[in-house]
Amino acid sequence: MDVDGVQATSVPAAGHLSGASNAFDRGSTPRMSGVLVRTVIPSPLVRWIIPARIRHKNKNDVIFVSDRSIEVKEYLGDSFREVVTKDDFDSTIRAARAIGNPPIPLTAKKPSGLDAIIKEEEVDDASADLMELDVFGGPEVPPQVLVLVLESSSMDKLLFLFAYYDLSHQIRFLSFEHPLLYHKRYAERLGKHVAVDPRSRAMAVAAASGSFVVYTLKPMAQLREEVESPAGLLKDKFVPVESERIMKLDGIILKMEFLHPRREDEYHVILLVVFSVGERMKLRFYEWDYSKDLQSIKTVGDFLVGPNKQCPLLLIPFTIITGFILVSEDSIAIYHNIQTENLKQDGLKHDCKDIKEPGSSRKLPLFTSWARPTRREDWNLDNDAFYLCREDGTVRFLEFYRGSIPLLTKNEVGGVSINVDTAFAVLDDDGIGKYHMGGRSYDMLVAAGDMSNGILVRFEARKRPEPHQSIPNWAPMTDFCTARVALDMGYDASRPSIPYESQIHGHERLFGCFGRGKDHGALGEIQMGVEASSRINFEVNSGITGMWILPDVSGSSSSTCVLMTDPEDMTTLLRIQNDGSSAEEIVDLEDLCGIDVDSVTLAAGSTLANLVIQITKRSIRALSPTLGCRFIHTFETVTVKLAHIEGQSSAVLVATDNNFLHYGEFFIRDREMVLSWEDDPFSPFSLSSEASCVYLVKVEQRMFAFVGTTDGQLHVFSVDRKMGFVLILTHRFHDDFAICDSIAVIARDTENITKPLMAVVCGLRNGSIHNFFFDVTLDHNVMLELTEFLSLGNTTVTVRSDVSSCSGPGHLCSRALVSCAENFCRLYYQPSRWASYQTVIQNIWLSALDQPGLRQSSIMCIAQSDPWVFDRESASGLLFIINDSRLHLTELDEGLRSSPIVRKLPVPGTPTRILFSRLINKLVVTFTTTRVREFQDIQSRGPSRQRRLLYPTLMFLDPNGSHMQDPDEPPHGTVYSSTSEPHELPLGVPMNIGPSGMKILGLIEWRPSVLGKEFPLLVVNTSRARKGGRADSGSIQIYHIAKTTPNIVVIELKHNISFAKPVYSLANYGASSLVFCSGTTLCLRTMTDVDGVPRWVSMPSYELNTRALYISVREPYIYLSTASHSVMVFKVEDALLIPQISDASGRPGLHHLLIPSRSLILATNKEKTLVGLWQPPEPPLDKSSRTVFEAILPGSIRKLCEGAIKPPWLTIPETSPRVIIGSSLDGSFYQFELIDEDTWRLLRFIQHMAERNATICPHTYAEPPMTHIEPRPSEKCMDIKGDLLYRLLDRGSPDTAALLRDMLEKEPDPGRRGYDFDTREARQQRFFEIVDIALEPTSLQKQDRVKVVVDFLRREILPPVL
């Protein structure tokens, strides 16, 4: 359509608006509903990074502290390994520090010559041995303890905790809670500042103003003596606090820190408090003798800081003298001679003016954090050094010498290439490294990003910083969307358009926009699973059908061989250096060592006997690098179709084209290799149909052969050299195309190594996997029982054992790797009492540090190097993946817990809105770009100044691509007026859509129908700041979009409608109308046909009390989320906007989602709640909506969305594939599920019991909510804490029912009468009555209702979402 002729008119045109019937199925009264709230993706924000050995003295742990959780990671020298996450505080973490004795650096003097080399090698070996240890005998108190300040609405407390290994080798936490004095005024609540004495003798906790508390701490040696015992840790004896004293202070406390006394002053403690009174800043010192009580604290005067001194950003104590540094916005002040009356102060200005990202702010970046590196003890006697980090990532290194203070050595050592806040640390390498500059020639710095990713980076003298690992961060999340990406077939005007629903495949994917500035702005695809981090990658031939990892056939220990095969180029052999420095194809016949590269390889591998075996269509080849002998067996009359190698026994199984099976074992005789079927042949087995896959496995010294056939059968044979093939059993698959193409046998448990429970995982051609339980009984009978089948896609499924999960030579692997088209997963079994819920499937996502936008496409091949065959630490256990014709050498995360993995698509600005366009199958993102321009003030004729200009920008991106134009290039074009010509905009190229000062507030896709035609349009609503104090204006821009090629989008501005006030929100109404809010006016405009000419027709507007931030439509109703009235509903009737209902509570609204099946409106607001509002059939007299439920959340939900984001194997037939999710600004995602009253009553009953259980709520169980265990319906208590129920399942594993029974059988607390039943029998009886009503169990199930409830929680209430 050519809509250039559309004209605006104010003539009302009743009848042109659709009068669709009410889509809500509403009754006369609201249905009682509850809501289950569950965290799907936790926030990635990290507030502090604290290196502290809170597990063991030999475990180099780093604690990442978030708002409500801590994550313990082990530092391995160049990367982190996840250890454990603790998220059961049920409170906000306000501050965190570590107490105890940090590791002592090396004290040896610097050696020289050969002694230095030997010393380094000895230290490195010792360190490696220590880092490999996982369990250290009995539990013990570690060198350091973590201290957290927890705050809640009712009380604040100090929490001291450390981790230890229990007797079952599981990590546990031991903690001690100390209450803090509670104040109603937040400024007077303790916990704003926490300081720890350098020798951990004392600690201080301060409020923002008014007071602080000083604590005397017990020495760590005394704690160990009191807590450790031969029987284990005495938990009741862990009391780190010895005494305390409250100190009053009249003023606002700005900084607080303990200073270092002289080394000979064993008991001297000095506390510095920086505070302000009015506009004056003061320093106050508190001193006391540690050997005496806290009543000996004395104040050593107040020192006034000069009036020109700015508010301090950082307070850094010296270690070599009793002094400190105050870092402010533009200077550094050095204070020394503290212990004399002549306090000296020296200052210097900051000299690093370069800004990493100009234009991000009008001011220079601030220094936000500091960290002190580890150095040798002898160097520390006279030297001090620390790193300063600025918010733009600039890092400075300051070094002091005892005799030269206040002089210092300053070095700007580079930057960490991210935005940094308070999470910054220098990591300890146990003092091991090259003897240079006090211990080693480099430092490892870690920083968590602020509106950018975090990073682990190596700083070495006179070298550029070297990044080692990225720490993902997708906060703040400004917007998100779900996308079901269709197959991109390009655009052809002559071809009929294919409906979107006919093109889609797979589940919906989750995209969000986050980051700030041209260096860190990004779109991200948020995925859950385990990460396969690519070390190196390089291009290989397309069409690879098989890949195997072999030791270097030349015998080199510094390289590995990769054998690849494809139908056309036969076989290729690559030699890859273990450090990833190079890869080369082996073509020299001498280097091949008997490997056949002229045939298609069907199987290859290394065995425990150090044999390298290759099976091709025509031969079986083997070589022994140790003996130097080779073996070749040639098939003269038949062709091998399938083959498998069993490495434990050096056995082979082949299927030939005449449907025969052959089995043989290699062994050495007289230093020559012999294949058993040549030496002692037996008759091969004849199959009734063609084999589709073959697999060998050795179980309890018996060899079993699994053979799938093209007639949909699975045969299990027992096979040996004497009896040959003995058919044990046969299973038939009954689905269409149910042909088994691959098999893996894995262990279901890892505890019983001699006789593990086994599972057979079969990958079928129809895209499903079938799981069997496999067992060999004591009387040698074999059992094969089908337990479940799961759908992964529409193409064949490939399964293989995950050799990295093998616990030892000859043992079964405990995990399997599964691939099906783009789905790549890890499958294993979790200990449980119920077999039907043991299977765990986790996505595996490929990532690369240098390719943040790497898209995992169809996995062509996967292979692994067996750690029990490869005696090469750098190559064993690596996962080799061919993805999109590139071979990746990856390290697979060994953690069993899925974590968020973000694939980033860079955006050259700060993103604001994201939309997936179904019309063109692309992502649309709007963002703000910043330009800094020089301008000359003509009137003053002074020097030129800089002006920061912000431009609204739009860009299209391919969801499956990663291309983006160079951010330094100018935008592709500018579109301001309706006369602009069509632009051919390549994907990834930004385009300005307005002048500076304009902000994009909303973005929708619209397909109106005018004159019998539909037109693909993109509609943008904006606001624009105007100079001279004038009110902001706004506009609606309407673009016509079309896709000419897969990488080109044609965009043309059709309308640019200006308004006197900002257009805060808009939505399409019906086939040809737009409803929007300009200022506080709700407007409706229709595009209609007037005498054959399309025209805009304005309807009567409605004046609101406040602006509408979000609009949705379900004809004839219009729903608004307003800034002060939560939700308002209007009805379009006779071209008028008629108010229907609104939220009576007047909450500051943010977003909403319609639930027509329950006549509910889910609404979010700035008060951190989610409310369910009922829409009655007819508006009541007071026009107010009844609140069905109100759930209190950790943060405000900025957007709600419903999408089918579950992967196919997580979609259970009894549950809907669509879920309601919401995002918070901190990057967290929540799932909201509506439940009926009976289910709510059952879950709330369990929740109330869990809140009183020390295992599930270890830090709040003593003070649970003042409610009765049996729930009573009320809008304030209709929410269910899904995270709490998940803890019940997680911490009760493998027998969750036992934990639930303990909760039911617990005797009532006499001190809490009125909140529990009189007897436990009464509690159990009422619980079972609620179970019978909610779940309606059968008579058989009633024999164990607790098991039925746990089954219900796992299957229907808390299944995985992503």
Side-chain angles (χ1 to χ4, degrees):
M1 154 189 141
D2 185 0
V3 293
D4 287 340
V6 173
Q7 301 175 9
T9 177
S10 60
V11 179
H16 289 284
L17 297 177
S18 173
S21 62
N22 183 6
F24 274 74
D25 181 16
R26 296 193 295 270
S28 58
T29 57
R31 295 166 55 186
M32 185 61 67
S33 297
V35 60
L36 175 75
V37 182
R38 176 186 176 193
T39 303
V40 176
I41 299 176
S43 170
L45 287 178
V46 178
R47 299 184 63 188
W48 301 281
I49 298 177
I50 303 176
R53 299 178 184 241
I54 65 168
R55 240 186 336 151
H56 191 273
K57 60 185 178 182
N58 293 332
K59 286 296 184 180
N60 197 353
D61 289 336
V62 180
I63 298 92
F64 291 72
V65 184
S66 303
D67 280 331
R68 300 180 68 87
S69 65
I70 63 170
E71 185 176 6
V72 181
K73 297 184 180 184
E74 186 175 2
Y75 172 56
L76 303 177
D78 60 356
S79 63
F80 293 108
R81 180 177 70 89
E82 295 185 6
V83 177
V84 65
T85 298
K86 183 174 175 62
D87 55 4
D88 56 4
F89 301 109
D90 296 318
S91 303
T92 300
I93 301 175
R94 196 176 183 192
R97 293 293 290 266
I99 64 172
N101 306 316
I104 300 176
L106 295 176
T107 58
K109 298 294 183 181
K110 177 181 177 180
S112 60
L114 181 61
D115 292 337
I117 300 175
I118 296 174
K119 180 64 178 177
E120 286 187 28
E121 291 178 350
E122 290 177 349
V123 172
D124 288 339
D125 292 340
S127 176
D129 293 340
L130 290 175
M131 299 305 287
E132 289 177 357
L133 295 176
D134 283 327
V135 182
F136 310 90
E140 60 181 66
V141 178
Q144 292 173 279
V145 172
L146 185 66
V147 185
L148 304 176
V149 177
L150 301 182
E151 70 172 14
S152 62
S153 57
S154 58
M155 69 174 298
D156 300 335
K157 56 190 172 185
L158 285 175
L159 181 69
F160 299 79
L161 78 159
F162 65 85
Y164 67 94
Y165 287 95
D166 62 12
L167 297 179
S168 62
H169 303 168
Q170 299 297 315
I171 294 180
R172 307 294 182 190
F173 284 93
L174 181 60
S175 62
F176 167 76
E177 297 179 2
H178 187 82
L180 292 173
L181 186 63
Y182 186 81
H183 290 273
K184 291 185 178 180
R185 289 188 67 244
Y186 191 75
E188 296 180 0
R189 292 175 64 173
L190 297 169
K192 172 66 175 177
H193 307 279
V194 177
V196 176
D197 175 66
R199 301 173 189 173
S200 291
R201 301 166 299 177
M203 186 176 72
V205 180
S209 66
S211 65
F212 62 94
V213 181
V214 178
Y215 300 91
T216 299
L217 302 178
K218 296 179 181 178
M220 293 301 296
Q222 180 181 344
L223 278 179
R224 292 191 191 94
E225 184 178 347
E226 294 175 352
V227 176
E228 294 178 359
S229 73
L233 299 179
L234 304 178
K235 301 179 180 180
D236 295 339
K237 299 295 184 179
F238 180 54
V239 184
V241 176
E242 198 167 63
S243 61
E244 64 179 290
R245 179 184 174 185
I246 300 176
M247 308 292 292
K248 296 296 183 180
L249 186 148
D250 184 16
I252 298 175
I253 300 176
L254 303 176
K255 295 291 177 182
M256 180 177 66
E257 192 60 79
F258 283 90
L259 302 183
H260 289 252
R262 292 177 299 183
R263 292 178 180 269
E264 59 271 19
D265 293 343
E266 183 178 358
Y267 299 106
H268 191 194
V269 182
I270 307 171
L271 175 65
L272 166 64
V273 178
V274 183
F275 66 103
S276 65
V277 180
E279 297 181 357
R280 309 297 294 272
M281 188 168 66
K282 298 181 178 181
L283 308 176
R284 180 177 294 178
F285 299 93
Y286 297 86
E287 298 185 19
W288 68 96
D289 190 326
Y290 174 70
S291 62
K292 301 178 182 179
D293 60 30
L294 294 177
Q295 299 304 318
S296 63
I297 295 178
K298 61 180 180 179
T299 303
V300 186
D302 290 348
F303 295 89
L304 188 64
V305 180
N308 295 328
K309 298 301 177 183
Q310 298 170 330
C311 182
L313 302 174
L314 302 172
L315 168 58
I316 307 172
F318 282 116
T319 58
I320 51 179
I321 63 169
T322 305
F324 60 95
I325 295 175
L326 285 180
V327 180
S328 61
E329 184 174 348
D330 60 3
S331 63
I332 296 176
I334 302 172
Y335 293 83
H336 49 110
N337 286 1
I338 300 300
Q339 294 176 298
T340 67
E341 295 183 358
N342 184 22
L343 175 66
K344 290 188 177 181
Q345 172 186 337
D346 297 279
L348 64 154
K349 293 287 185 179
H350 294 311
D351 55 5
C352 51
K353 300 294 185 180
D354 293 337
I355 304 175
K356 298 297 182 183
E357 190 174 341
S360 293
S361 173
R362 291 186 175 93
K363 296 184 178 181
L364 289 175
L366 304 178
F367 283 96
T368 57
S369 50
W370 70 278
R372 179 173 280 116
T374 303
R375 295 291 186 262
R376 281 199 331 264
E377 189 176 22
D378 57 338
W379 187 90
N380 288 334
L381 292 175
D382 296 308
N383 299 273
D384 194 4
F386 51 83
Y387 287 92
L388 285 180
C389 188
R390 210 168 60 176
E391 59 183 336
D392 65 343
T394 298
V395 177
R396 294 186 64 182
F397 181 73
L398 305 184
E399 193 170 13
F400 294 86
Y401 178 68
R402 178 189 296 272
S404 64
I405 292 178
L407 299 178
L408 76 161
T409 302
K410 298 179 295 181
N411 294 291
E412 186 170 341
V413 293
V416 291
S417 302
I418 62 171
N419 299 326
V420 182
D421 195 1
T422 54
F424 175 77
V426 180
L427 302 182
D428 170 40
D429 268 340
D430 298 322
I432 298 170
K434 298 179 181 178
Y435 288 87
H436 175 70
M437 290 184 64
R440 56 178 184 260
S441 62
Y442 66 90
D443 285 312
M444 296 296 291
L445 277 64
V446 60
D450 176 31
M451 301 184 73
S452 66
N453 275 354
I455 196 170
L456 172 66
V457 61
R458 171 172 168 161
F459 279 79
E460 189 168 358
R462 294 175 294 280
K463 291 186 178 180
R464 295 176 62 87
E466 178 184 348
H468 278 252
Q469 186 175 359
S470 177
I471 302 171
N473 175 32
W474 54 93
M477 178 73 65
T478 54
D479 194 13
F480 79 96
C481 71
T482 60
R484 179 169 289 174
V485 183
L487 296 172
D488 199 335
M489 296 177 287
Y491 176 80
D492 186 354
S494 63
R495 185 180 60 202
S497 62
I498 299 176
Y500 172 80
E501 290 75 11
S502 301
Q503 303 178 53
I504 58 176
H505 66 98
H507 65 286
E508 295 183 25
R509 291 150 61 182
L510 189 62
F511 291 88
C513 55
F514 48 85
R516 180 183 64 185
K518 68 182 183 65
D519 293 333
H520 305 298
L523 296 189
E525 182 177 3
I526 303 174
Q527 308 157 133
M528 287 291 290
V530 292
E531 186 173 15
S533 179
S534 178
R535 280 187 177 183
I536 59 171
N537 67 88
F538 45 85
E539 190 170 356
V540 296
N541 295 334
S542 59
I544 299 294
T545 58
M547 179 172 58
W548 300 268
I549 312 303
L550 306 173
D552 193 332
V553 291
S554 66
S556 172
S557 61
S558 61
S559 55
T560 303
C561 283
V562 180
L563 189 72
M564 296 180 292
T565 189
D566 65 83
E568 295 182 359
D569 295 334
M570 302 305 181
T571 295
T572 302
L573 189 64
L574 296 180
R575 177 181 287 123
I576 301 176
Q577 297 299 316
N578 291 336
D579 59 3
S581 59
S582 64
E584 60 178 355
E585 182 178 352
I586 300 177
V587 294
D588 193 330
L589 293 179
E590 293 184 1
D591 287 344
L592 290 174
C593 298
I595 298 295
D596 183 9
V597 295
D598 295 325
S599 301
V600 175
T601 301
L602 301 176
S606 303
T607 70
L608 291 177
N610 198 23
L611 301 182
V612 177
I613 302 175
Q614 178 197 20
I615 305 176
T616 69
K617 287 186 175 183
R618 294 295 183 182
S619 66
I620 299 177
R621 296 168 178 251
L623 63 94
S624 173
T626 55
L627 298 178
C629 57
R630 304 181 185 180
F631 171 89
I632 300 178
H633 172 85
T634 304
F635 294 92
E636 300 293 344
T637 60
V638 295
T639 301
V640 179
K641 290 293 187 181
L642 300 165
H644 187 257
I645 301 171
E646 201 281 325
Q648 181 180 351
S649 301
S650 300
V652 296
L653 176 66
V654 298
T656 57
D657 57 357
N658 58 355
N659 294 343
F660 275 94
L661 293 176
H662 300 261
Y663 171 81
E665 296 179 11
F666 282 97
F667 59 92
I668 304 297
R669 178 189 297 166
D670 298 331
R671 299 183 63 82
E672 295 291 336
M673 274 188 292
V674 178
L675 184 60
S676 61
W677 79 42
E678 292 187 338
D679 182 66
D680 185 18
F682 58 82
S683 299
F685 187 87
S686 178
L687 296 172
S688 59
S689 59
E690 182 181 354
S692 57
C693 67
V694 294
Y695 185 84
L696 278 177
V697 63
K698 192 170 187 179
V699 178
E700 298 182 16
Q701 303 305 313
R702 292 179 62 185
M703 189 70 72
F704 293 93
F706 293 80
V707 180
T709 56
T710 55
D711 60 352
Q713 296 190 79
L714 175 66
H715 306 284
V716 183
F717 299 90
S718 175
V719 59
D720 59 38
R721 292 171 55 188
K722 295 182 179 180
M723 300 295 296
F725 291 94
V726 178
L727 181 62
I728 299 176
L729 54 86
T730 298
H731 173 82
R732 176 174 290 277
F733 302 101
H734 297 287
D735 299 330
D736 295 336
F737 300 101
I739 299 172
C740 183
D741 281 338
S742 58
I743 300 171
V745 178
I746 61 175
R748 287 193 286 129
D749 65 337
T750 56
E751 296 180 1
N752 189 348
I753 297 178
T754 58
K755 191 181 184 304
L757 300 174
M758 293 170 289
V760 179
V761 184
C762 296
L764 272 60
R765 196 167 296 178
N766 61 5
S768 64
I769 56 174
H770 287 231
N771 296 337
F772 300 84
F773 283 171
F774 179 59
D775 194 16
V776 180
T777 62
L778 295 177
D779 54 358
H780 302 291
N781 290 325
V782 176
M783 298 179 59
L784 188 70
E785 178 187 358
L786 178 65
T787 58
E788 63 185 343
F789 58 91
L790 302 169
S791 176
L792 272 73
N794 299 318
T795 61
T796 186
V797 178
T798 302
V799 300
R800 61 177 300 133
S801 300
D802 179 5
V803 298
S804 66
S805 65
C806 182
S807 58
H811 297 167
L812 287 177
C813 301
S814 61
R815 297 192 294 262
L817 300 177
V818 183
S819 62
C820 177
E822 295 182 358
N823 297 316
F824 185 29
C825 322
R826 184 170 70 181
L827 180 148
Y828 66 95
Y829 288 86
Q830 203 169 39
S832 174
R833 300 294 182 186
W834 302 284
S836 57
Y837 303 108
Q838 287 181 326
T839 307
V840 178
I841 299 181
Q842 295 173 307
N843 282 303
I844 297 175
W845 297 107
L846 186 62
S847 70
L849 181 62
D850 59 342
Q851 301 178 56
L854 176 64
R855 167 65 180 163
Q856 180 172 300
S857 58
S858 296
I859 302 297
M860 298 170 59
C861 289
I862 55 176
Q864 281 180 294
S865 51
D866 192 337
W868 303 105
V869 172
F870 281 69
D871 189 19
R872 297 165 179 82
E873 183 178 339
S874 58
S876 64
L878 289 181
L879 178 63
F880 293 69
I881 301 173
I882 297 182
N883 174 72
D884 196 21
S885 298
R886 295 196 70 85
L887 174 60
H888 294 263
L889 278 67
T890 70
E891 293 178 299
L892 189 61
D893 186 0
E894 291 300 311
L896 296 182
R897 184 183 294 270
S898 294
S899 58
I901 301 165
V902 180
R903 169 179 161 258
K904 293 181 62 176
L905 303 175
V907 171
T910 302
T912 55
R913 291 290 183 267
I914 183 176
L915 170 73
F916 175 69
S917 172
R918 293 186 175 188
L919 301 176
I920 59 175
N921 198 39
K922 302 300 178 186
L923 291 170
V924 187
V925 58
T926 63
F927 52 96
T928 301
T929 55
T930 303
R931 300 184 202 171
V932 178
R933 290 184 177 177
E934 300 281 345
F935 74 97
Q936 181 76 36
D937 191 336
I938 300 177
Q939 296 180 353
S940 63
R941 297 184 180 181
S944 62
R945 293 188 298 169
Q946 289 185 337
R947 173 179 292 176
R948 191 173 65 123
L949 302 176
L950 305 178
Y951 289 90
T953 313
L954 180 143
M955 188 166 67
F956 298 94
L957 287 172
D958 183 359
N960 297 325
S962 59
H963 170 73
M964 189 199 73
Q965 186 191 26
D966 186 350
D968 293 331
E969 295 182 15
H972 179 71
T974 303
V975 180
Y976 294 132
S977 64
S978 61
T979 60
S980 299
E981 297 297 327
H983 288 264
E984 288 193 356
L985 189 64
L987 299 183
V989 176
M991 181 183 73
N992 278 6
I993 62 172
S996 64
M998 177 181 286
K999 295 181 180 179
I1000 299 173
L1001 302 180
L1003 178 70
I1004 68 168
E1005 193 174 40
W1006 188 29
R1007 196 159 190 166
S1009 177
V1010 180
L1011 301 177
K1013 297 181 180 180
E1014 289 188 347
F1015 308 98
L1017 301 178
L1018 198 64
V1019 186
V1020 178
N1021 57 292
T1022 72
S1023 71
R1024 183 183 180 187
R1026 296 194 289 184
K1027 300 179 181 179
R1030 293 181 296 170
D1032 292 353
S1033 60
S1035 66
I1036 294 179
Q1037 299 180 4
I1038 302 178
Y1039 295 88
H1040 182 269
I1041 56 174
K1043 183 173 60 174
T1044 57
T1045 68
N1047 296 321
I1048 297 291
V1049 176
V1050 176
I1051 180 169
E1052 180 182 2
L1053 178 64
K1054 291 297 184 179
H1055 300 283
N1056 189 353
I1057 309 171
S1058 299
F1059 297 90
K1061 296 181 180 180
V1063 180
Y1064 292 106
S1065 54
L1066 63 81
N1068 62 291
Y1069 183 93
S1072 56
S1073 301
L1074 285 178
V1075 57
F1076 56 92
C1077 178
S1078 175
T1080 58
T1081 304
L1082 182 64
C1083 306
L1084 187 63
R1085 288 194 179 188
T1086 297
M1087 186 182 296
T1088 184
D1089 176 14
V1090 178
D1091 298 328
V1093 179
R1095 295 177 182 273
W1096 281 110
V1097 178
S1098 295
M1099 302 299 171
S1101 60
Y1102 189 92
E1103 193 66 29
L1104 306 171
N1105 293 329
T1106 182
R1107 64 186 186 276
L1109 302 178
Y1110 176 69
I1111 301 176
S1112 67
V1113 172
R1114 198 170 187 93
E1115 300 175 58
Y1117 294 97
I1118 298 173
Y1119 302 83
L1120 314 178
S1121 284
T1122 67
S1124 61
H1125 290 90
S1126 185
V1127 172
M1128 300 181 68
V1129 182
F1130 289 81
K1131 185 177 182 180
V1132 180
E1133 194 171 88
D1134 297 329
L1136 298 177
L1137 297 171
I1138 303 175
Q1140 299 293 295
I1141 58 172
S1142 63
D1143 187 358
S1145 298
R1147 305 174 179 92
L1150 285 175
H1151 206 267
H1152 65 261
L1153 181 68
L1154 309 180
I1155 311 295
S1157 61
R1158 292 178 177 264
S1159 300
L1160 281 180
I1161 307 169
L1162 297 185
T1164 68
N1165 53 70
K1166 297 179 182 179
E1167 296 176 348
K1168 300 182 180 180
T1169 62
L1170 173 80
V1171 296
L1173 303 175
W1174 180 58
Q1175 182 177 358
E1178 298 295 335
L1181 295 178
D1182 60 357
K1183 302 289 186 180
S1184 62
S1185 175
R1186 176 176 169 181
T1187 301
V1188 179
F1189 58 78
E1190 181 178 6
I1192 300 176
L1193 307 174
S1196 297
I1197 302 299
R1198 294 176 60 88
K1199 185 174 183 179
L1200 292 169
C1201 180
E1202 187 176 15
I1205 60 175
K1206 292 184 180 180
W1209 58 89
L1210 296 181
T1211 303
I1212 302 173
E1214 290 82 357
T1215 62
S1216 170
R1218 302 186 65 82
V1219 296
I1220 300 172
I1221 56 174
S1223 70
S1224 185
L1225 189 63
D1226 64 359
S1228 55
F1229 283 84
Y1230 300 90
Q1231 177 194 4
F1232 305 101
E1233 183 173 352
L1234 301 179
I1235 53 179
D1236 58 45
E1237 183 179 359
D1238 294 336
T1239 303
W1240 166 83
R1241 197 179 302 275
L1242 171 62
L1243 299 181
R1244 190 77 181 192
F1245 198 113
I1246 299 173
Q1247 176 180 313
H1248 286 169
M1249 291 192 297
E1251 290 172 337
R1252 293 161 168 79
N1253 185 272
T1255 301
I1256 301 173
C1257 299
H1259 306 294
T1260 57
Y1261 75 95
E1263 296 186 4
M1266 306 297 285
T1267 56
H1268 196 276
I1269 282 184
E1270 181 176 3
R1272 293 170 175 82
S1274 169
E1275 65 180 56
K1276 295 290 187 180
C1277 65
M1278 296 304 294
D1279 61 308
I1280 301 297
K1281 298 177 181 178
D1283 294 344
L1284 209 62
L1285 300 183
Y1286 182 81
R1287 262 187 244 164
L1288 168 65
L1289 298 180
D1290 183 52
R1291 300 192 177 178
S1293 181
D1295 193 357
T1296 303
L1299 179 57
L1300 184 55
R1301 287 192 185 94
D1302 290 342
M1303 293 160 53
L1304 287 168
E1305 296 172 0
K1306 179 184 177 181
E1307 291 290 346
D1309 185 358
R1312 295 184 57 83
R1313 292 190 178 276
Y1315 301 105
D1316 198 352
F1317 293 86
D1318 294 335
T1319 63
R1320 64 178 185 179
E1321 290 77 14
R1323 185 196 305 130
Q1324 293 179 14
Q1325 180 180 354
R1326 181 55 183 153
F1327 178 76
F1328 293 150
E1329 291 173 356
I1330 294 176
V1331 172
D1332 292 345
I1333 295 173
L1335 305 183
E1336 299 180 352
T1338 64
S1339 57
L1340 181 61
Q1341 291 175 328
K1342 288 182 179 180
Q1343 297 177 9
D1344 193 349
R1345 292 183 178 89
V1346 174
K1347 176 183 175 181
V1348 173
V1349 170
V1350 174
D1351 189 354
F1352 172 68
L1353 291 176
R1354 289 186 184 275
R1355 185 175 180 82
E1356 298 188 32
I1357 300 301
L1358 298 171
V1361 176
L1362 287 173

